[in-house]
Amino acid sequence: MAVMVATGVGAKNGMLIKGGEALERAQKVKYVIFDKTCTLTQGKATITTAKVFNGMDRCEFLTLVALVEASSEHPVAKVILQYACHFHLFEDSSAAKELNHGKDLKFSGWLLDVGNRRLLTESGVTIPRDAENFVVGLEESSKTGILVSYDDVLIGVLGVVDPLKKEATVVVEGLGKMGHQNSHGFRG
């Protein structure tokens, strides 16, 4: 009877429970790991900051990044294009797409690359201490740093955030009340 009640309560709360054995195993769970994108977040990323580290004009920086990302279908690339359009650097994202036909952009003979810390480091880009500190600050405030290099020199960082769903806090707090005190989100 208790299993029927538990599965019924779970169903009312959006959880499908596959019988009593699953309930017994669930009580022994020590860790809950979430892939935060669209699980705990809204799936509506936005750029919160753009910081240039080499003295380049901010509009030129955003234009270069948008040109590189114009041909990408990645959700963050689309956010970058929207951000550039917000500053009227392009009338719309199709204008940027017409200027770029590949993933990497050669601009005046120099190679521009956009990605995370690992991608740029593996490409031979050295990340200066001030830029590293900036990225760490973004991460500590639940943002993701998108790094940009120009001819293998880091020139700037974009801060991207995907807001939490309203329910996410309740879920994590509920897990804490159940004894799961250390909650960590992972990103790809």
Side-chain angles (χ1 to χ4, degrees), residues 8-86:
V9 170
K12 286 181 183 176
N13 290 296
M15 294 175 48
L16 297 176
I17 301 170
K18 190 177 179 182
E21 184 183 339
L23 282 172
E24 287 178 25
R25 287 193 333 214
Q27 97 181 33
K28 297 176 184 175
V29 169
K30 292 183 181 181
Y31 302 98
V32 178
I33 300 172
F34 294 101
D35 171 12
K36 70 174 186 153
T37 304
C38 294
T39 304
L40 298 178
T41 65
Q42 297 174 15
K44 298 176 182 175
T46 58
I47 294 178
T48 60
T49 188
K51 183 165 175 85
V52 182
F53 287 95
N54 71 338
M56 178 184 283
D57 177 73
R58 187 168 181 252
C59 287
E60 182 182 5
F61 169 72
L62 291 173
T63 300
L64 289 173
V65 178
L67 287 172
V68 169
E69 295 300 307
S71 64
S72 175
E73 293 298 319
H74 193 282
V76 174
K78 292 178 182 180
V79 170
I80 290 170
L81 284 171
Q82 290 170 354
Y83 191 70
C85 289
H86 172 77

Side-chain angles (χ1 to χ4, degrees), residues 53-179:
F53 287 95
N54 71 338
M56 178 184 283
D57 177 73
R58 187 168 181 252
C59 287
E60 182 182 5
F61 169 72
L62 291 173
T63 300
L64 289 173
V65 178
L67 287 172
V68 169
E69 295 300 307
S71 64
S72 175
E73 293 298 319
H74 193 282
V76 174
K78 292 178 182 180
V79 170
I80 290 170
L81 284 171
Q82 290 170 354
Y83 191 70
C85 289
H86 172 77
F87 288 100
H88 306 290
L89 301 175
F90 303 102
E91 289 300 314
D92 60 39
S93 60
S94 62
K97 288 180 182 177
E98 291 175 16
L99 296 171
N100 182 21
H101 301 289
K103 181 190 174 296
D104 296 323
L105 177 70
K106 288 244 183 206
F107 182 78
S108 299
W110 302 85
L111 181 64
L112 189 77
D113 205 0
V114 179
N116 61 27
R117 187 186 296 130
R118 185 182 65 196
L119 174 74
L120 268 65
T121 302
E122 288 174 358
S123 297
V125 176
T126 301
I127 301 171
R129 183 176 305 275
D130 58 340
E132 178 68 29
N133 291 340
F134 183 76
V135 172
V136 168
L138 290 172
E139 293 169 345
E140 288 174 350
S141 60
S142 300
K143 297 174 185 165
T144 301
I146 305 297
L147 289 76
V148 182
S149 69
Y150 187 62
D151 193 35
D152 294 332
V153 175
L154 186 91
I155 61 170
V157 176
L158 297 169
V160 180
V161 67
D162 188 356
L164 289 175
K165 292 178 181 174
K166 293 175 188 172
E167 305 84 11
T169 303
V170 174
V171 169
V172 174
E173 286 175 356
L175 288 170
K177 289 178 183 175
M178 294 168 55

